[in-house]
Amino acid sequence: MRTGTRHDAPSLYDSAADHATAQIVEDYSTSFSRACRLLAEPVRTHVRSIYGLVRLADEIVDAESLDLTPAERATQLSDLEAETAHAMARGFSTNLVVHSFARTTRACGIDATLVTPFFASMRTDLERSEHDAGSLDTYVYGSAEVVGLMCLRAFLADEDPATRDARYTELLPGARRLGAAFQKVNFLRDIAADHDTLGRTYFPGVVPAELTEAQRDVLLDDIDADLAAAALAIAELPASSRRAVRCAHDLFAALSHRLRATPAAEIGTRRIRVSTPAKARIVLRAMLTGAR
């Protein structure tokens, strides 16, 4: 029997779930984990929980180690979506990652209008290998822009309820464009692996092995425009998240710059990275200036 436990205080199970998602961030993304460390609590835990669910869905869809057919992956993804919906409604899941995410959705006001498009885009990866302009826009919205909006809800969770929705509406375009930029940078960086290993081509009319400098620059011009628009909104974020978002923005801007300086033929055959020392400098700069 539990006695003397506050309903709003995390239980041992809640804490274990949050630790699980924190470990996922550390193991899967050095850049994102660096940025997350600059978030104040409880925003840091909320953002990690969002990433944890995103990563879990991505593993179902993409992981080569899973010896599953596309139909079996689709079933697993549907099961995860159903469990996520149930957990969001009841506040509990036996899946630690889903449990942590559900607690975040309830604390931050994240609802099905953001979660459903995410799972729809994940399902698209099992059903479609090439995109046109319209389907790519829909895919990027569900796979990345809504994730940015989930994070925005977390950033604003402690704001005055009287003005929180207005602030969300004001910052929504910048959050969407930052999410879109992140996704499209990843598409360009991983263009060879997506095509050769996963059998997918995201950019319409672009053949990875035949990528030209002109095509590269058109893609990067679009990405850089998104990053520039997003940068204007970062200054309006709460201090609890501003440094971290600035850090993440600058890490991806550095990757965009690195891609532009790389011959297109190399981008089409190998994964381009930002060096560890360069990442460290970006993090330090964000620590010193990002909260201004």
Side-chain angles (χ1 to χ4, degrees), residues 168-189:
Y168 177 81
T169 300
E170 174 192 355
L171 294 170
L172 181 151
R176 286 187 59 177
R177 294 194 73 172
L178 189 60
F182 288 177
Q183 183 68 293
K184 288 181 281 190
V185 167
N186 285 337
F187 284 162
L188 185 55
R189 178 195 61 187

Side-chain angles (χ1 to χ4, degrees), residues 2-12 14-15 103:
R2 291 186 300 165
T3 58
T5 302
R6 289 178 55 194
H7 292 296
D8 60 348
S11 68
L12 181 60
D14 296 335
S15 296
R103 290 183 65 241

Side-chain angles (χ1 to χ4, degrees), residues 206-280:
V206 176
V207 178
E210 301 171 7
L211 181 70
T212 67
E213 265 72 20
Q215 288 175 321
R216 175 203 63 196
D217 289 346
V218 167
L219 296 173
L220 288 169
D221 287 346
D222 177 53
I223 290 166
D224 289 345
D226 282 338
L227 288 169
L232 297 177
I234 292 173
E236 303 304 318
L237 290 172
S240 58
S241 57
R242 201 177 305 145
R243 288 190 305 174
V245 179
R246 169 60 64 188
C247 178
H249 172 281
D250 290 355
L251 285 166
F252 277 85
L255 179 55
S256 175
H257 180 77
R258 182 80 178 84
L259 286 163
R260 197 181 289 273
T262 302
E266 289 187 35
I267 296 172
T269 58
R270 69 180 182 90
R271 199 172 195 255
I272 307 303
R273 300 176 181 272
V274 176
S275 70
T276 298
K279 288 181 180 179

Side-chain angles (χ1 to χ4, degrees), residues 69-93:
T69 66
E72 290 170 333
R73 290 179 189 267
T75 298
Q76 291 283 338
L77 187 65
S78 294
D79 289 347
L80 177 62
E81 183 176 14
E83 177 59 24
T84 300
H86 292 155
M88 289 170 65
R90 67 193 178 207
F92 176 81
S93 175

